[in-house]
């Protein structure tokens, strides 16, 4: 079936692209990692509080549409802040933190990168149906919506806007 082949290719493409971007930025964010570590130490944050501080700092950065080509009504119907000619329509973690502009997969990949560096069990989750990316975290955060993977609960966490807590989503995950 052609639709299944396209879906499989698209999934492989984004998985490979996000993975290569993650590896490329391995040593680019040492100052950012030190800043987060200082925050953790200075405020004596436990694992849950620290994860919430990291994600809420990213949520506070305003959402920007990252367009492959030009910013038009088709790619930006809500007339949000929009960056044109962004290769593949997302920024790497280093590009995100230097521009403070990002869409769902850019912000989710940055959160994944930082949380992973601090040894959290985290996943980058991309939905082609919803055209959206979020993170999942295997951490006791008190409940909510989650996805099971390898017999572990990954609580779904929205990174695009302020106020989202782990396990709270605006759409169904089934």
């Amino acid at each position: 079936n052609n639709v299944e082949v396209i879906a499989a290719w698209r999934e492989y493409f984004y998985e490979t692209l996000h993975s290569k971007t993650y590896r490329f930025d391995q040593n680019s964010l040492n100052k950012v990692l030190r800043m987060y570590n200082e925050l953790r130490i200075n405020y004596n944050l436990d694992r849950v509080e620290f994860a919430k501080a990291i994600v809420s700092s990213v949520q506070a950065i305003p959402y920007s549409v990252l367009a492959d080509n030009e910013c038009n009504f088709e790619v930006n119907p809500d007339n949000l802040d929009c960056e044109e000619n962004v290769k593949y329509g997302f920024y790497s973690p280093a590009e995100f933190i230097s521009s403070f502009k990002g869409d769902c997969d850019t912000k989710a990949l940055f959160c994944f990168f930082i949380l992973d560096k601090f040894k959290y069990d985290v996943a980058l989750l991309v939905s082609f149906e919803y055209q959206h990316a979020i993170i999942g975290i295997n951490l006791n955060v008190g409940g909510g919506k989650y996805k099971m993977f390898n017999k572990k609960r990954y609580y779904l966490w929205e990174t695009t806007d302020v106020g989202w807590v782990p396990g709270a989503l605006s759409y169904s995950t089934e």
Side-chain angles (χ1 to χ4, degrees):
N1 184 334
N2 201 22
V3 172
E4 290 174 6
V5 170
I6 291 170
W9 177 85
R10 193 169 57 178
E11 187 174 322
Y12 171 77
F13 174 77
Y14 280 103
E15 180 180 306
T16 303
L17 183 64
H18 287 134
S19 178
K20 285 185 178 192
T21 301
Y22 176 87
R23 285 193 307 273
F24 180 77
D25 279 359
Q26 282 298 307
N27 299 315
S28 302
L29 296 170
N30 290 332
K31 287 181 183 178
V32 174
L33 292 167
R34 281 194 300 275
M35 182 228 24
Y36 278 119
N37 197 44
E38 287 174 16
L39 175 76
R40 181 186 62 79
I41 292 166
N42 290 341
Y43 289 93
N44 195 29
L45 301 176
D46 65 28
R47 296 270 303 156
V48 173
E49 292 169 332
F50 187 46
K52 288 180 177 179
I54 291 167
V55 175
S56 66
S57 72
V58 174
Q59 290 172 333
I61 297 170
Y63 182 91
S64 297
V65 174
L66 303 179
D68 246 349
N69 297 307
E70 63 183 44
C71 293
N72 56 37
F73 184 77
E74 186 178 325
V75 297
N76 190 12
D78 297 324
N79 200 27
L80 300 170
D81 181 53
C82 188
E83 294 285 304
E84 294 185 327
N85 302 312
V86 177
K87 193 170 186 173
Y88 304 119
F90 85 97
Y91 283 146
S92 74
E95 290 169 319
F96 168 69
I97 205 63
S98 66
S99 69
F100 285 119
K101 295 195 180 271
D103 57 3
C104 60
D105 52 346
T106 295
K107 292 176 93 173
L109 182 61
F110 180 82
C111 282
F112 174 89
F113 182 93
I114 299 298
L115 290 166
D116 183 64
K117 288 295 188 182
F118 284 103
K119 307 294 185 219
Y120 285 90
D121 187 1
V122 65
L124 180 64
L125 306 169
V126 178
S127 168
F128 294 110
E129 179 181 349
Y130 293 104
Q131 297 183 10
H132 194 54
I134 59 174
I135 61 168
I137 190 163
N138 178 24
L139 185 66
N140 186 5
V141 292
K145 294 183 179 178
Y146 61 88
K147 284 288 184 188
M148 292 294 293
F149 182 72
N150 287 340
K151 299 181 182 180
K152 295 189 270 184
R153 288 183 185 192
Y154 287 85
Y155 288 93
L156 308 178
W157 209 342
E158 178 64 67
T159 62
T160 57
D161 200 7
V162 295
W164 288 98
V165 296
L169 287 181
S170 62
Y171 54 84
S172 172
T173 60
E174 297 307 316

